[in-house]
């Protein structure tokens, strides 16, 4: 079987369609996001004003449609307001804000690395050239808008950027310059997305002292798929002719799988895509419908609407292909049971009441707190409707139910099962811009993305084995082996358990799969001999008097202007979508025609019989078992992150719309998740390659790891007092490994001075060796391997370094050791962190020794040594005789101190701990 998709583009035969833009309606009203406080970053609420003017005209704004308006366009638009970037200063939250702006009008900078205890110390002073905010051009505000549409905050770093270590110090001038460079590169590429943007294009525009920062910025944007992605010829040329890196297996040829496969191939990986269907695209499926007289149309039976186009990566792919987009027009008339148009005043009244109830539900969840997690949105809305007496008569109630059906369509779920607390948790991350159709169908995007990607069709995967040596993916009787695998199957398939994972997935991930909802949406596509419904609208709705059937054919999409023929599609949402699965297709079509005749025949318009019809059954499709995800009662946005987590130490990865908390239930969300995981997979592969290089040179192993460790601790991820911590930022699991370093130091002086009576104890020789050590060495670094959660808990211990050391030794029972005592487990962690940070610029010494990080007083060390020595002696019998061969040579450099601990020192350090194995600490 030929693994490559050689099928011709069946959509190219459609006649070219003219793109006629429709300007959005002018509406000065705003509708703030009711869930703004539930997310650390809310791009829909940044009302920051130009400090040089109090006039609203100085604010840049654009409309952002809410997810809950997916079916019918939102009448009250939410506006973006963005500060004019050049006039900025650093605020206390390490963000960028206008110097005269009020704090009440600013959004706090999100997700910063914790500051040290004294952030105002003069030790953070940097070179003069780094103290200045660079000026690239005069369009910084416009460039910030473009970056904002791509998901980047206007004045701070994303969590992903912080994890990637794009700047050595969070919150400084260098961060400001990084943001300006980042925005500039993104905007430059967006000018012509068919070009491959190179780093050299920006060298002349960026001051020389920021070229290292340019390297970091450019490498991050390219490796994470924010620029230079897609199907333009200049980008396809970057795929190496010979793929020499390890084998990767991608399960599923949907948008996530295709995006990841193309990106991985560009990175040089050998990719094999396994697809259970006979086609690519997954839940994106464009069917060519045909009739007599050469009549044909392209019907999107799955994902159809590009929701927000300002930063939509699929919109970028369409631009690369030269495909125009058609804005879904706002006009959406509703028709009553008798076919008459709904009175506009009543329509507005009920919609206003409906929006008011949603706002009341939002305030209710804030008052309820955590209790709201177990309450459904439907229950809250119905309670408020009864209390406030909205929709009192039959027609108003039918109209109210239509809005409920529209909301169920937006979420592909029953309101009775949607979480009151988090149903709209992704609203703050809406792409912004118009909702659009792609003329000819989204299958054209799928075809372009699948070109030259090695896809094996009709390969139904039923088993995935993963371990330290790689992966095995079994489809039927065939076994496919690889270094890594990416699973992009829909959440419905994961819920069904039709794929067996060996070993079983972690309970944390299994619980997340169970908690998240996976809803259903069905369609009836009808190709008619001619357009009888008019070409001046793209949508119209129909009311029902049965609440259980409120979603049955409640909304019609007209594709006549984009499909190449007179195509009309009726939607079935909510409870009706589930009943539709078992409804005979003839009955469904008959019901739809009855509705259409009831609407148009009173107007003197004859409704003809359709030439061809198609009814979807997404719930019964074994490769999807539903339509798209939602936040069910008991779930939260965190569950999307949990589903996105890799397992098996970077062997098995997950992508798809149900793995992105920002863009779930969208086509672009699936696409973005594929780009995300290709970056993660490349990171783990690079880390393993680095570890192999270290392992192949054992004589240099200790020295290499010690040098790496010293370099990594120049930029710790956490620093508090005399304690520093580094960990792998990409692994958010609280049980993941972290390396803690404790620094002991004391100015040179006679250590016998000032001895207190309580320091005279039976272990006198041990104490004297400790004194001798500090007479000849200014600093001592000791380490331990612990979990990320334990490191965070240690940071929260109050009472200074002595209390932290007490917590570390007494409460956690860890063993502080020299560098050589960490073992191979730590070597793996060190290599992983190094690979993650890449060519990150080392922080200047003045910044690395952060303020407030005063080194641990030797007296504290002495007392802890004495206390721990007593415990060891009382529990294990007499103390072992000490080694008198103490080396007295000085070690002045950090790399030397961390690399080599003398035998006597090692014995001293071993008495600090309880002897607990370092690897065992991670299991606590």
């Amino acid at each position: 079987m030929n693994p490559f998709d050689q099928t011709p583009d069946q959509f190219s035969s459609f006649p070219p369609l003219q793109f006629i833009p429709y300007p959005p309606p002018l509406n000065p009203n705003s509708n703030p996001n009711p869930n703004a406080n539930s997310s650390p970053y809310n791009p829909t609420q940044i009302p920051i004003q130009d400090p040089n003017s109090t006039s609203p005209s100085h604010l840049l704004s654009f409309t952002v449609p809410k997810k809950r308006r997916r079916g019918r366009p939102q009448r009250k638009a939410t506006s973006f307001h963005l500060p004019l970037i050049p006039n900025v200063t650093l605020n206390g939250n390490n963000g960028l804000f206008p110097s005269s702006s009020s704090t009440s009008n600013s959004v706090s900078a999100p997700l910063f690395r914790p500051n040290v205890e004294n952030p105002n110390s003069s030790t953070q002073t940097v070179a003069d050239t780094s103290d200045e905010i660079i000026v690239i051009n005069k369009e910084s505000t416009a460039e910030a808008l473009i970056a904002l549409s791509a998901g980047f905050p206007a004045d701070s770093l994303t969590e992903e950027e912080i994890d990637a270590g794009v700047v050595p110090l969070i919150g400084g001038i260098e961060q400001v310059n990084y943001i300006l460079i980042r925005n500039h590169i993104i905007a430059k590429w967006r000018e012509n997305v068919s070009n491959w943007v190179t780093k050299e294009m920006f060298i002349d525009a960026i001051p020389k002292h920021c070229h290292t920062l340019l390297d970091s910025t450019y490498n991050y944007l390219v490796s994470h798929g924010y620029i230079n992605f897609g199907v333009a010829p200049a980008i396809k040329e970057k795929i190496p002719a010979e793929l020499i890196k390890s084998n990767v297996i991608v399960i599923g040829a949907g948008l996530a799988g295709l995006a990841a496969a193309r990106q991985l191939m560009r990175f040089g990986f050998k990719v094999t895509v396994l697809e259970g269907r006979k086609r690519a695209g997954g839940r994106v499926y464009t069917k060519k419908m045909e009739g007599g007289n050469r009549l044909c149309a392209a019907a999107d039976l799955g994902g159809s609407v590009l929701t927000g186009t300002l930063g939509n990566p699929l919109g970028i792919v369409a631009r690369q292909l030269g495909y125009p987009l058609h804005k879904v027009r706002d006009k959406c008339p509703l028709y009553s049971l008798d076919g008459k148009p709904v009175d506009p005043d009543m329509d507005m009244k009920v919609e206003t009441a409906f929006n008011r109830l949603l706002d009341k539900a939002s305030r209710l969840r804030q008052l309820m707190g955590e209790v709201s997690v177990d309450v459904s949105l439907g229950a809250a809305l119905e309670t408020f409707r009864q209390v406030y007496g909205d929709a009192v008569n039959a027609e108003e109630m039918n109209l109210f139910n239509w809005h409920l059906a529209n909301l169920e369509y937006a979420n592909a779920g029953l309101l009775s099962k949607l979480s009151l607390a988090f149903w709209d948790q992704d609203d703050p991350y809406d792409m912004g811009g118009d909702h659009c159709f792609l003329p000819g169908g989204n299958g054209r995007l799928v075809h372009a993305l699948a070109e030259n990607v090695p896809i094996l069709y009709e390969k139904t995967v039923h088993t995935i084995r993963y371990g330290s040596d790689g992966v095995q993916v079994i489809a039927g009787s065939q076994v496919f082996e690889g270094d890594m695998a990416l699973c992009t199957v829909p959440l419905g398939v994961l819920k069904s358990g039709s794929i067996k994972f060996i070993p079983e997935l972690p309970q944390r991930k299994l619980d997340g799969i169970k908690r998240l909802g996976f809803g259903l949406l069905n369609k009836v596509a009808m190709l008619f001999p001619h357009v009888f419904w008019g070409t001046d609208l793209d949508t119209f709705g129909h009311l029902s008097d049965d609440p259980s059937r409120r979603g049955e054919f409640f909304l019609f999409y007209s594709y006549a202007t984009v499909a190449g023929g007179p195509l009309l599609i009726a939607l079935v949402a909510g409870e009706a979508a589930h009943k539709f699965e078992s409804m005979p297709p003839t009955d469904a079509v008959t019901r739809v025609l009855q509705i259409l005749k009831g609407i148009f025949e009173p107007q003197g318009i004859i409704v003809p019989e359709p030439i061809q019809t198609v009814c979807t059954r997404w719930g019964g499709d074994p490769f999807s078992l539903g339509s798209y995800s939602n936040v069910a009662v008991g779930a939260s946005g965190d569950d999307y992150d949990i589903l996105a987590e890799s397992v098996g130490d970077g062997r098995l990865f997950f992508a798809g719309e149900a793995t992105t908390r920002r863009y779930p239930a969208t086509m672009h969300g699936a696409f973005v998740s594929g780009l995300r995981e290709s970056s993660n997979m490349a990171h783990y592969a690079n880390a393993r390659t680095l570890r192999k290089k270290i392992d192949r040179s054992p004589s240099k192993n200790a020295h290499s790891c010690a040098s790496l460790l010293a370099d990594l601790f120049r930029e710790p991820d956490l620093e508090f007092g005399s304690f520093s911590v580094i960990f792998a930022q990409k692994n958010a699991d609280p049980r993941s490994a972290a390396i803690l370093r404790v620094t002991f130091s004391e100015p040179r002086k006679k250590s016998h001075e000032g001895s207190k009576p309580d320091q005279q104890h039976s272990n006198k020789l041990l104490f004297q060796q400790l004194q001798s050590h500090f007479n000849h060495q200014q600093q001592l670094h000791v380490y331990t391997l612990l979990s990320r959660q334990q490191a965070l808990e240690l940071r929260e211990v109050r009472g200074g370094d002595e209390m932290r050391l007490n917590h570390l030794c007494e409460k956690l029972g860890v063993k502080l050791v020299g560098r050589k005592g960490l073992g191979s487990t730590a070597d793996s962690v060190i290599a992983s962190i190094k690979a993650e940070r890449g060519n990150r610029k080392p922080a200047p010494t003045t910044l690395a020794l952060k303020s407030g990080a005063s080194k641990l007083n030797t007296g504290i060390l002495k007392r802890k040594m004495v206390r721990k020595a007593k415990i060891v002696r009382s529990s294990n019998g007499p103390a072992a005789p000490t080694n008198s061969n103490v080396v007295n040579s000085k070690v002045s450099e950090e790399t030397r101190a961390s690399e080599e601990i003398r035998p006597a020192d090692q014995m001293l350090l071993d008495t600090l701990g309880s002897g607990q194995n370092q690897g065992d600490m991670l299991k606590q």
Side-chain angles (χ1 to χ4, degrees):
M1 178 178 179
N2 186 355
F4 293 88
D5 182 12
Q6 302 287 357
T7 58
D9 182 2
Q10 59 178 325
F11 310 106
S12 60
S13 60
F14 290 115
L17 298 162
Q18 184 179 6
F19 174 47
I20 305 175
Y22 297 88
L26 298 176
N27 191 337
N29 298 327
S30 63
N31 180 21
N33 171 35
N35 197 30
N37 295 330
S38 67
S39 174
Y41 161 53
N42 182 0
T44 64
Q45 289 187 333
I46 314 180
I48 307 173
Q49 195 165 330
D50 178 12
N52 298 324
S53 174
T54 58
S55 171
S57 64
H58 284 75
L59 295 175
L60 299 178
S61 65
F62 53 93
T63 301
V64 181
K66 292 297 185 185
K67 172 185 171 183
R68 67 190 187 201
R69 302 291 183 267
R70 178 184 297 220
R72 194 182 200 187
Q74 181 179 355
R75 300 194 183 194
K76 292 185 178 181
T78 298
S79 295
F80 272 174
H81 296 287
L82 193 73
L84 301 180
I85 300 299
N87 301 317
V88 293
T89 58
L90 284 174
N91 73 348
N93 288 326
N94 298 329
L96 290 174
F97 288 117
S99 56
S100 62
S101 66
S102 169
T103 56
S104 63
N105 289 331
S106 64
V107 61
S108 61
L111 300 170
F112 285 110
R113 183 178 299 166
N115 288 327
V116 291
E117 293 177 1
N118 180 14
N120 298 319
S121 171
S122 59
T123 59
Q124 295 193 24
T125 302
V126 294
D128 292 341
T129 56
S130 299
D131 274 340
E132 299 177 358
I133 297 177
I134 62 175
V135 177
I136 302 175
N137 58 34
K138 298 179 180 180
E139 304 297 329
S140 56
T141 302
E143 291 179 349
L145 273 175
I146 294 173
L148 186 65
S149 71
F152 290 101
D155 68 325
S156 59
L157 303 180
T158 64
E159 183 179 9
E160 185 185 68
E161 287 176 298
I162 294 174
D163 290 347
V166 294
V167 292
L169 183 65
I170 304 302
I173 293 295
E174 197 164 21
Q175 173 180 315
V176 180
N177 290 335
Y178 165 83
I179 291 172
L180 293 171
I181 296 172
R182 176 198 70 192
N183 297 351
H184 181 61
I185 294 176
I186 293 173
K188 187 70 175 178
W189 186 62
R190 292 291 182 87
E191 290 178 2
N192 187 349
V193 294
S194 294
N195 283 344
W196 178 273
V197 171
T198 65
K199 185 167 49 182
E200 288 69 29
M201 294 179 180
F202 306 97
I203 289 180
D204 293 338
I206 306 299
K208 189 173 182 179
H209 72 274
C210 288
H211 282 186
T212 302
L213 195 59
L214 171 62
D215 292 342
S216 172
T217 311
Y218 179 83
N219 293 338
Y220 169 80
L221 293 175
V222 172
S223 65
H224 286 73
Y226 289 105
I227 61 172
N228 294 344
F229 66 84
V231 295
I235 294 171
K236 290 192 289 186
E237 290 174 358
K238 297 298 180 179
I239 297 178
E242 183 178 359
L243 304 175
I244 59 175
K245 293 188 178 180
S246 54
N247 293 318
V248 175
I249 301 170
V250 177
I251 300 114
L255 289 176
L258 294 176
R262 297 194 72 86
Q263 193 80 330
L264 287 167
M265 290 170 64
R266 192 176 65 74
F267 291 161
F269 290 92
K270 303 171 188 175
V271 177
T272 301
V273 181
L274 304 180
E275 171 55 50
R277 307 177 195 271
K278 297 179 181 180
R279 60 171 180 81
R283 286 167 282 170
V284 177
Y285 177 35
T286 303
K287 179 177 177 58
K288 186 175 182 180
M289 301 180 68
E290 299 178 280
N293 298 323
R294 302 179 65 181
L295 197 63
C296 62
D300 275 322
L301 302 180
S304 58
V305 181
L306 296 182
T307 52
T309 55
L310 288 180
N312 196 315
L314 293 179
I316 290 175
V317 174
R319 284 175 59 193
Q320 292 173 338
L321 295 169
Y323 298 160
L325 298 178
H326 172 83
K327 177 188 178 298
V328 180
R329 289 168 283 185
D330 295 338
K331 183 179 179 181
C332 182
L334 301 182
Y335 295 92
S336 300
L337 292 170
D338 57 6
K340 295 181 180 179
V342 172
D343 178 70
D345 292 337
M346 181 184 296
D347 187 2
M348 182 63 70
K349 172 188 174 184
V350 174
E351 182 173 356
T352 301
F354 178 77
N355 289 333
R356 183 171 64 247
L357 293 186
L358 283 176
D359 292 338
K360 291 183 184 298
S362 176
R363 288 192 288 271
L364 174 64
R365 66 185 173 193
Q366 294 176 2
L367 294 174
M368 295 177 67
E370 294 182 0
V371 179
S372 63
V373 175
D374 299 319
V375 179
S376 74
L377 175 63
L381 290 178
E382 179 58 24
T383 299
F384 280 126
R385 187 193 67 78
Q386 294 176 2
V387 169
Y388 290 96
D390 293 314
V392 291
N393 61 45
E395 190 168 3
E396 287 182 351
M397 192 65 220
N398 293 341
L399 191 53
F400 185 82
N401 277 322
W402 187 92
H403 286 286
L404 294 179
N406 193 40
L407 194 57
E408 289 178 324
Y409 158 48
N411 293 275
L414 304 179
L415 296 184
S416 60
K417 294 184 178 180
L418 285 180
S419 168
L420 169 63
F422 301 113
W423 70 275
D424 59 346
Q425 61 85 35
D426 59 311
D427 265 4
Y429 311 110
D430 195 293
M431 283 286 182
D434 298 323
H435 289 200
C436 295
F437 292 139
L438 176 67
N442 295 316
R444 303 173 76 188
L445 299 180
V446 171
H447 180 85
L449 291 169
E451 182 184 5
N452 294 326
V453 174
I455 305 174
L456 299 178
Y457 294 102
E458 298 184 83
K459 301 297 179 184
T460 304
V461 172
H462 57 80
T463 303
I464 299 176
R465 289 193 178 95
Y466 61 95
S468 58
D469 295 332
V471 296
Q472 285 186 338
V473 180
I474 305 175
S477 59
Q478 291 183 278
V479 179
F480 300 88
E481 295 185 342
D483 187 59
M484 296 176 289
L486 174 62
C487 181
T488 71
V489 301
L491 176 59
V493 176
L494 292 177
K495 281 179 172 289
S496 72
S498 60
I499 297 180
K500 183 178 182 181
F501 294 91
I502 303 174
E504 182 60 275
L505 295 176
Q507 192 61 44
R508 167 184 170 87
K509 187 177 286 286
L510 292 175
D511 292 342
I513 292 171
K514 183 178 180 180
R515 282 191 298 265
L516 276 179
F518 196 64
L520 186 60
L521 175 73
N522 276 312
K523 300 181 178 182
V524 177
M526 298 162 289
L527 178 65
F528 288 96
H530 59 271
V531 177
F532 61 85
W533 56 88
T535 58
D536 61 335
L537 49 79
D538 294 318
T539 57
F540 60 90
H542 176 260
L543 308 187
S544 172
D545 59 353
D546 183 352
S548 66
R549 299 174 63 180
R550 65 192 179 203
E552 184 180 271
F553 317 123
F554 81 103
L555 186 66
F556 291 81
Y557 273 116
S558 169
Y559 284 81
T561 56
V562 295
L567 181 69
L568 194 63
I569 291 183
L571 302 187
V572 191
E575 186 179 348
H578 293 271
K579 295 179 179 178
F580 183 81
E581 291 278 322
S582 58
M583 180 185 295
T586 54
D587 292 353
V589 173
T590 299
R591 173 64 181 146
V592 174
L593 290 176
Q594 288 176 349
I595 293 173
L596 292 175
K597 289 177 181 179
I599 293 173
F600 293 102
E601 288 188 350
Q603 304 176 34
I605 300 174
I606 297 176
V607 177
E609 289 295 315
I611 298 173
Q612 185 183 5
T613 60
V614 177
C615 297
T616 66
R617 299 283 189 270
W618 288 108
D621 186 330
F623 299 112
S624 62
L625 298 176
S627 298
Y628 39 90
S629 63
N630 55 60
V631 184
V633 174
S636 72
D638 292 342
D639 291 314
Y640 288 111
D641 292 336
I642 292 173
L643 261 68
E645 293 173 357
S646 62
V647 298
D649 191 24
R651 295 295 181 178
L652 179 58
F653 300 79
F654 294 84
E657 57 85 13
T659 69
T660 169
R661 73 183 300 160
R662 287 193 171 199
Y663 314 117
T666 63
M667 291 184 290
H668 61 266
F671 186 87
V672 167
S673 74
L675 297 178
R676 178 199 70 212
E677 289 311 304
S678 62
S679 173
N680 290 336
M681 296 171 83
H683 155 71
Y684 275 98
N686 292 338
R688 278 190 289 270
T689 300
L690 179 60
R691 286 199 294 268
K692 288 179 182 178
K693 288 181 179 179
I694 294 175
D695 293 340
R696 280 197 293 265
S697 54
S699 61
K700 299 180 181 179
N701 186 37
H703 176 80
S704 299
C705 285
S707 299
L708 279 177
L709 195 62
D711 289 340
L712 293 175
F713 269 107
R714 294 183 189 279
E715 304 172 39
D717 296 295
L718 296 177
E719 189 168 14
F720 41 94
S722 299
F723 297 77
S724 304
V725 182
I726 57 173
F727 46 72
Q729 292 275 7
K730 286 185 178 293
N731 189 350
D733 188 346
R735 296 170 296 179
S736 60
I739 297 179
L740 171 75
R741 185 182 75 177
V742 187
T743 301
F744 300 104
S745 66
E746 183 178 54
R748 294 187 191 181
K749 63 181 180 180
K750 292 184 178 181
S751 56
H752 293 284
E753 295 177 1
S755 296
K756 297 181 180 180
D758 63 350
Q759 292 174 330
Q760 306 303 320
H761 54 86
S762 58
N763 206 343
K764 186 175 181 180
L765 181 57
L766 175 66
F767 186 63
Q768 289 175 345
Q769 287 183 347
L770 174 65
Q771 292 175 327
S772 175
H773 175 87
F774 278 105
N775 283 334
H776 297 91
Q777 182 170 304
Q778 288 183 324
Q779 286 190 345
L780 170 67
H781 297 303
V782 289
Y783 305 87
T784 189
L785 191 65
L786 71 171
S787 72
R788 185 171 182 164
Q789 182 62 40
Q790 288 172 328
L792 294 173
E793 292 174 357
L794 182 64
R795 184 186 64 181
E796 300 304 317
V797 173
R798 295 293 176 258
D801 287 338
E802 184 170 7
M803 293 304 296
R804 292 185 181 120
L805 193 60
N806 180 72
H807 179 85
L808 188 66
C809 297
E810 303 287 352
K811 301 294 184 182
L812 299 182
V814 304
K815 180 181 180 181
L816 290 170
V817 296
R819 165 63 196 93
K820 293 181 180 179
L822 283 174
S824 59
T825 302
D827 292 345
S828 177
V829 176
I830 294 168
S832 177
I833 298 173
K834 175 61 178 177
E836 179 179 283
R837 295 188 180 184
N839 297 322
R840 182 167 152 185
K841 175 186 174 183
T845 304
T846 55
L847 295 178
L849 298 177
K850 296 181 180 179
S851 59
S854 57
K855 303 309 172 188
L856 192 62
N857 183 278
T858 310
I860 298 175
L861 173 64
K862 293 174 182 176
R863 292 195 294 274
K864 296 306 297 183
M865 285 277 196
V866 171
R867 183 182 303 122
K868 206 61 189 177
K870 288 182 178 179
I871 295 174
V872 171
R873 179 168 184 169
S874 63
S875 59
N876 298 327
T882 56
N883 190 333
S884 59
N885 299 322
V886 179
V887 181
N888 293 324
S889 61
K890 292 183 182 179
V891 183
S892 58
E893 295 181 1
E894 178 177 341
T895 55
R896 176 68 176 166
S898 62
E899 173 187 332
E900 202 166 289
I901 300 294
R902 293 183 293 274
D905 299 335
Q906 187 66 59
M907 184 278 298
L908 293 174
L909 298 172
D910 289 344
T911 65
L912 274 170
S914 61
Q916 185 172 7
N917 184 280
Q918 295 292 298
D920 293 342
M921 285 303 302
L922 303 179
K923 301 177 183 178
Q924 294 186 352

